[in-house]
Amino acid sequence: MTMTPTQYRDIAMDAARQAGAIVMGFYKGEVNAWEKNPGNPVTEADLAADAFLKEFLLERVPQAGWLSEETKDDKSRLERNLVWVVDPIDGTKEFVQGVPQFAVCVALVEAGTPIAAAMYNPVEDEMFDAALNAGARLNDAPLKVRDTQEWNGATLCVSRSELKRGEWAPYTEQQIEGVGSIAYKMALVAAGRYDATFSRGPKNEWDVCAGALIATEAGGWSGGLSGTPYAFNQPDPLVDGVVATTPALLSPILESVAQLGRVRQGERT
């Protein structure tokens, strides 16, 4: 049975909230954690939430494919018109450190375009959601990005890790604040708490899919560093950086990235 984007959104919200409860069962307790690769931790909470989300979401939309950070990629998703794109905990570093800046991210993509999304920060009990052409919300209240026009003085929420590495040192005319989870940062831009977030380094589809829909449905712009919106469910889920911003700031952001250059994953220590 075909559903509407808002019906898919409601399924995503239910899944994200229940997965958030699972995650909170581990938060600030003894949790087993290890590194998938340097600087990229995973925990038993990630895996428990991932297992729940996969069973819950595919039971309700069995025709959909599956792409998740914590599930071995099955390329059969490329044959599906609908695909769930999931990150059970975006911001695992913050989760491990007890910093309340992480989120369960669930999005449904149709023919490359996200049509429903839910992003839940269980510590703050913040449910961000969106459905294609139906707007974005935070705990059922409509969201709208800021109407900031000036690049100088703009407020940016940026990666805590990038801030520590000095990647934001050139941005002396902007107000910079480190925040965990790229997805959560995108949602905070949608909520009008910041003017923009972006990163000159690569990301994955599961990092940005839910946030991209939430930001755009709140009146913002979101996509890659080339200045074009994302097309999701690609053979390689690595994407060309991330930008989520008020529309007027897109050009100066892309210009600053062009001047400074991009940061490849291997250049980060």
Side-chain angles (χ1 to χ4, degrees), residues 156-211:
L156 311 179
C157 55
V158 308
S159 162
R160 296 169 70 239
S161 299
E162 291 175 7
L163 192 60
K164 290 179 182 178
R165 287 192 293 263
E167 292 182 26
W168 292 93
Y171 292 88
T172 58
E173 301 299 325
Q174 287 70 41
Q175 301 178 56
I176 307 294
E177 183 173 338
V179 176
S181 166
I182 184 59
Y184 189 51
K185 288 191 282 286
M186 297 169 81
L188 295 179
V189 172
R193 298 185 196 173
Y194 298 91
D195 295 313
T197 186
F198 61 99
S199 174
R200 295 186 288 132
K203 297 290 178 281
N204 289 286
E205 290 192 16
W206 49 76
D207 298 316
V208 301
C209 191

Side-chain angles (χ1 to χ4, degrees), residues 67-250:
L67 177 63
S68 167
E69 179 173 13
E70 308 304 346
T71 304
K72 182 176 173 57
D73 191 11
D74 180 352
K75 299 298 184 181
S76 66
R77 64 182 171 81
L78 301 173
E79 303 168 4
R80 305 294 182 96
N81 189 52
L82 291 173
V83 179
W84 289 110
V85 180
V86 168
D87 192 342
I89 304 178
D90 188 69
T92 300
K93 289 180 182 178
E94 284 71 25
F95 170 76
V96 172
Q97 295 168 7
V99 177
Q101 296 172 345
F102 57 88
V104 179
C105 302
V106 178
L108 186 66
V109 168
E110 182 176 36
T113 299
I115 62 170
M119 183 191 306
Y120 183 53
N121 179 333
V123 181
E124 305 292 352
D125 193 24
E126 294 173 320
M127 176 65 77
F128 301 87
D129 69 76
L132 186 64
N133 299 322
R137 307 180 302 180
L138 169 55
N139 294 343
D140 298 329
L143 294 181
K144 185 172 177 55
V145 297
R146 292 181 178 181
D147 189 28
T148 302
Q149 302 293 315
E150 296 297 326
W151 176 227
N152 287 349
T155 59
L156 311 179
C157 55
V158 308
S159 162
R160 296 169 70 239
S161 299
E162 291 175 7
L163 192 60
K164 290 179 182 178
R165 287 192 293 263
E167 292 182 26
W168 292 93
Y171 292 88
T172 58
E173 301 299 325
Q174 287 70 41
Q175 301 178 56
I176 307 294
E177 183 173 338
V179 176
S181 166
I182 184 59
Y184 189 51
K185 288 191 282 286
M186 297 169 81
L188 295 179
V189 172
R193 298 185 196 173
Y194 298 91
D195 295 313
T197 186
F198 61 99
S199 174
R200 295 186 288 132
K203 297 290 178 281
N204 289 286
E205 290 192 16
W206 49 76
D207 298 316
V208 301
C209 191
L213 182 62
I214 292 168
T216 54
E217 284 294 323
W221 188 93
S222 186
L225 299 176
S226 61
T228 57
Y230 297 117
F232 291 102
N233 194 31
Q234 298 300 309
D236 183 352
L238 200 68
V239 300
D240 177 29
V242 59
V243 181
T245 181
T246 60
L249 299 186
L250 176 60

Side-chain angles (χ1 to χ4, degrees), residues 37-61:
N37 47 61
N40 188 15
V42 64
T43 72
E44 56 187 333
D46 293 84
L47 301 186
D50 187 65
F52 164 77
L53 289 167
K54 187 173 185 181
E55 179 179 3
F56 184 96
L57 293 168
L58 293 183
E59 179 179 302
R60 284 153 182 79
V61 189

